[in-house]
Amino acid sequence: MAETIDKTAIRDASTVILWRKGRAGPEVLMGQRGSGAAFMPNKFVFPGGAIDAADAEVKLAGKPDGTCLRRLAIEADPARVPALLAGAVREVWEETGLVLGRKADWEAPNPDWAGFAASGFAPSAAGLSYVFRAITPPGRPRRFDARFFLVSAGAVQGDPEDFTHACDELRHLQWIPLVSARDFDLPFITEVVLAELAPLIARGGLPKTVPFVRNDDVVSGITRLA
């Protein structure tokens, strides 16, 4: 008998906010989810998604700084942190075709990572900064405990506008000026995250605290993780 999966259970997820300097100020990479998507159809979002079991088997060629690692370990199972970071790198690759990695021969632990390994790079989470956390409210068709990571486009190997290896999960991939991002059809949580980005980027991308939007059956609201 096939295993029954509760799709409304809260799953760990990683979201990546890639940014770069543009003519009108900072720009962020976003794409539009398909109209048939079960979660946030037609919305413009950052690349990201649920953590896969194989992500825990990935050996990263580079890691974030100590502040990022400590903050993740404080409010998540420390043994889960490498999977959160690897999942972030994988989601960027799958949804945008961009590589966060270091040049090296690397053996994929799972078919989900085969395309990345074929790129000639080993996955690296160096440069990622943990900047936001949000849990999807109850009653949605999918629920995620998402950690948001900010990283400069300078960490991308190759052309940051080359999306030829992207899957079809996100359409209309583009670098959007922060000042124009709210003109797009966004999820509410993405609007909240965008409000944090301009001052955060101006400070070099390292937050003093990490906002946490908690939506569970007990408490809903925003707290800040020191």
Side-chain angles (χ1 to χ4, degrees):
M1 180 181 295
E3 181 183 1
T4 300
I5 299 175
D6 181 4
K7 294 183 178 180
T8 63
I10 299 175
R11 299 179 63 191
D12 281 329
S14 292
T15 297
V16 181
I17 308 163
L18 282 152
W19 78 277
R20 69 180 186 183
K21 294 181 180 178
R23 294 180 180 179
E27 300 175 340
V28 290
L29 181 59
M30 304 184 78
Q32 186 181 31
R33 292 181 59 79
S35 59
F39 187 70
M40 296 182 178
N42 295 316
K43 299 293 186 180
F44 272 81
V45 296
F46 305 114
I51 302 304
D52 293 341
D55 295 333
E57 303 173 27
V58 172
K59 183 177 181 180
L60 294 168
K63 296 181 180 179
D65 64 25
T67 298
C68 176
L69 293 173
R70 284 193 299 272
R71 285 175 171 171
L72 284 170
I74 286 172
E75 46 81 42
D77 179 353
R80 192 67 170 152
V81 170
L84 292 169
L85 296 170
V89 175
R90 177 182 51 75
E91 286 291 336
V92 169
W93 164 253
E94 290 179 352
E95 295 190 351
T96 73
L98 301 181
V99 172
L100 297 174
R102 294 179 178 173
K103 194 70 176 176
D105 292 329
W106 179 68
E107 184 176 349
N110 181 279
D112 289 346
W113 283 91
F116 193 106
S119 73
F121 291 89
S124 173
L128 267 63
S129 179
Y130 177 35
V131 298
F132 208 93
R133 180 184 177 190
I135 297 177
T136 312
R140 304 295 173 85
R142 302 284 190 276
R143 297 192 69 194
F144 300 100
D145 186 349
R147 279 76 170 186
F148 290 71
F149 298 95
L150 181 68
V151 63
S152 166
V156 172
Q157 298 290 344
D159 183 357
E161 295 195 22
D162 181 5
F163 308 128
T164 55
H165 296 290
C167 68
D168 58 0
E169 190 166 342
L170 293 183
R171 302 172 298 164
H172 308 302
L173 283 162
Q174 57 191 285
W175 290 93
I176 301 174
L178 275 182
V179 295
S180 305
R182 288 181 178 81
D183 296 338
F184 291 77
D185 186 8
L186 306 173
F188 171 72
I189 192 61
T190 303
E191 295 186 14
V192 175
V193 173
L194 284 169
E196 299 277 336
L197 286 184
L200 180 57
I201 290 172
R203 291 199 303 268
L206 183 62
K208 294 180 180 179
T209 58
V210 177
F212 177 18
V213 178
R214 179 176 178 177
N215 291 299
D216 58 22
D217 297 329
V218 180
V219 178
S220 293
I222 299 178
T223 57
R224 288 188 175 264
L225 307 169

